[in-house]
Amino acid sequence: MTQVEIGRGKSGRRAYALDEIGIVPSRRTRDPEEVSISWQIDAYRFDSPLVASPMDSVVSPATAIEIGRLGGLGVLDLEGLWTRYDDPAPLLEEVATMDPAAATRRLQEIYTAPIRDELIGRRIEEIRAGGATTAVRLSPQRTVQHHKAVIDAGVDIFVIRGTTVSAEHVSGRAEPLNLKQFIYELDVPVVVGGCATYTAALHLMRTGAAGVLVGFGGGASHTTRNVLGVVVPMATAISDVAAARRDYMDESGGRYVHVIADGGMGGSGDIAKAIACGADAVMVGSPLARASEAPGRGFHWGSEAHHPELPRGKRVEFGTIGTLEQILHGPSSLADGSMNLMGALRRTMATAGYSDLKEFQRVEVVVAPPQP
């Protein structure tokens, strides 16, 4: 691979973000109505390859049910307000009205309330009662402490998600989570991440995970680049992890691990390009935070925004543009790729001549500098 000289003592690969590539149509086109965008992980099949990011501004039990009705998968954050408070509605209202200058400090205060196992079970049951596939998220640091409540509640899909999740976390303070042993002992599919490199993804796949998250999530509300200097150009990262999926299939005798692009996708074009680079599905937050049903009331923030010691995110105001159904399936009244996300994906695939997601992963792409 081409290395670029940064200076006499350092070189690095040139990596590409999603807005630096473009999709190339093939010699044929298709009718959009004849294109399938369905996606299946383990025993669970979805009409759309869309996973709603586990953020309090996006997913509540009610929106998880509605996203499920619309063909996607909503992931509830079990370290959020819904498992800390019996009724978080007044706090969500406060977050939407607080002074921007005091937002980070107040978020830190709100999220100091303890996570309660009985609320974990109650929220999972609420989603199940609504007829949706139940998916929840814990960080690697909290998984050992709370996973029993999750499993006892009968969750369908378990997501272990952090800024960076590795199969070889080293800690001198506490016994680290042994992902391989943990996943082996569970009877539910586990999705883990984020990761951004071929090697890290291959190690996560070897733990027995059903899916791997690519990226650090929450692109629109993250300040990780400014705080830590860590950056993931998503087009390159997705392509690298897709290569790890291919090689792991050969290594394991055919076991397929799903690649889920997590974060950095602000509109429908980004979603299409993520799948073109090799993703099986996408995890998005900011596009859904604009829905009238979103619990953030037009504001968006992730778990990084209230870290007690080193916040790496912020509360961002997006406003609302329509219902979840309009944002996912239209009709759209805007021409910026923020509405009818799945309709746009279907049309992109039809324009490029592909009939399903696996075929579409083979589409030609080019390097195309972003337009000003």
Side-chain angles (χ1 to χ4, degrees):
M1 296 182 180
T2 303
Q3 294 284 317
V4 177
E5 183 181 287
I6 296 169
R8 288 180 180 268
K10 182 70 72 172
S11 61
R13 287 175 61 199
R14 172 67 167 96
Y16 296 94
L18 291 172
D19 63 358
E20 293 180 283
I21 68 166
I23 294 170
V24 181
S26 67
R27 62 182 177 84
R28 65 165 63 91
T29 57
R30 294 183 182 274
D31 187 327
E33 297 304 316
E34 297 177 2
V35 170
S36 170
I37 58 171
S38 64
W39 169 62
Q40 181 168 339
I41 181 169
D42 202 81
Y44 303 99
R45 185 176 180 84
F46 304 95
D47 294 336
S48 304
L50 181 130
V51 183
S53 186
M55 297 177 167
D56 279 343
S57 56
V58 176
V59 179
S60 65
T63 56
I65 293 168
E66 178 65 2
I67 290 165
R69 184 186 72 82
L70 295 170
L73 175 66
V75 182
L76 185 69
D77 184 9
L78 294 186
E79 298 176 27
L81 299 178
W82 295 95
T83 56
R84 298 175 190 263
Y85 298 92
D86 290 293
D87 180 15
L91 292 169
L92 290 165
E93 181 64 36
E94 179 186 348
V95 173
T97 57
M98 63 177 55
D99 179 358
T104 297
R105 182 177 297 277
R106 181 58 182 145
L107 284 172
Q108 290 174 315
E109 293 171 352
I110 290 172
Y111 283 89
T112 57
I115 298 168
R116 294 155 50 191
D117 283 352
E118 71 271 17
L119 283 179
I120 289 177
R122 189 191 307 175
R123 301 313 184 197
I124 292 173
E125 178 53 36
E126 286 177 28
I127 298 171
R128 180 185 298 105
T133 300
T134 58
V136 297
R137 171 262 179 186
L138 284 171
S139 66
Q141 296 83 359
R142 305 263 193 176
T143 294
V144 172
Q145 180 181 357
H146 296 291
H147 79 276
K148 188 176 186 302
V150 175
I151 300 304
D152 289 348
V155 74
D156 295 319
I157 298 174
F158 197 160
V159 178
I160 301 174
R161 179 180 185 259
T163 300
T164 302
V165 176
S166 73
E168 299 180 9
H169 179 67
V170 178
S171 174
R173 295 184 300 172
E175 183 68 25
L177 175 65
N178 184 326
L179 274 175
K180 189 169 186 177
Q181 179 181 345
F182 179 79
I183 292 173
Y184 176 79
E185 293 174 353
L186 292 182
D187 195 28
V188 299
V190 178
V191 175
V192 298
C195 69
T197 66
Y198 172 93
T199 302
L202 196 58
H203 281 234
L204 289 179
M205 291 171 185
R206 288 170 177 161
T207 66
V212 171
L213 299 171
V214 184
F216 298 152
S221 61
H222 267 211
T223 57
T224 303
R225 180 170 186 159
N226 294 335
V227 177
L228 300 182
V230 175
V231 187
V232 181
M234 284 294 285
T236 297
I238 295 167
S239 179
D240 284 349
V241 175
R245 175 186 60 204
R246 177 199 62 213
D247 292 348
Y248 178 70
M249 281 188 69
D250 292 338
E251 173 188 306
S252 63
R255 184 173 180 272
Y256 191 89
V257 179
H258 291 263
V259 173
I260 303 172
D262 180 10
M265 288 162 287
S268 55
D270 294 329
I271 292 172
K273 287 188 280 188
I275 294 174
C277 287
D280 296 288
V282 296
M283 177 176 277
V284 299
S286 58
L288 305 183
R290 296 179 171 92
S292 55
E293 304 98 321
R297 295 163 172 78
F299 287 83
H300 184 46
W301 67 96
S303 59
E304 300 80 7
H306 53 78
H307 191 282
E309 299 170 358
L310 189 66
R312 300 180 303 280
K314 58 186 177 181
R315 186 197 63 156
V316 180
E317 183 175 7
F318 284 133
T320 57
I321 58 174
T323 65
L324 274 171
E325 184 163 8
Q326 289 172 320
I327 289 172
L328 290 179
H329 300 298
S332 173
S333 57
L334 299 172
D336 59 1
S338 61
M339 300 181 76
N340 198 2
L341 303 179
M342 296 299 99
L345 172 61
R346 194 186 299 274
R347 186 167 293 274
T348 301
M349 292 169 60
T351 301
Y354 293 88
S355 60
D356 61 44
L357 295 173
K358 288 306 299 179
E359 283 189 358
F360 185 58
Q361 290 174 348
R362 301 197 298 266
V363 70
E364 181 183 353
V365 298
V366 294
V367 175
Q371 295 179 342

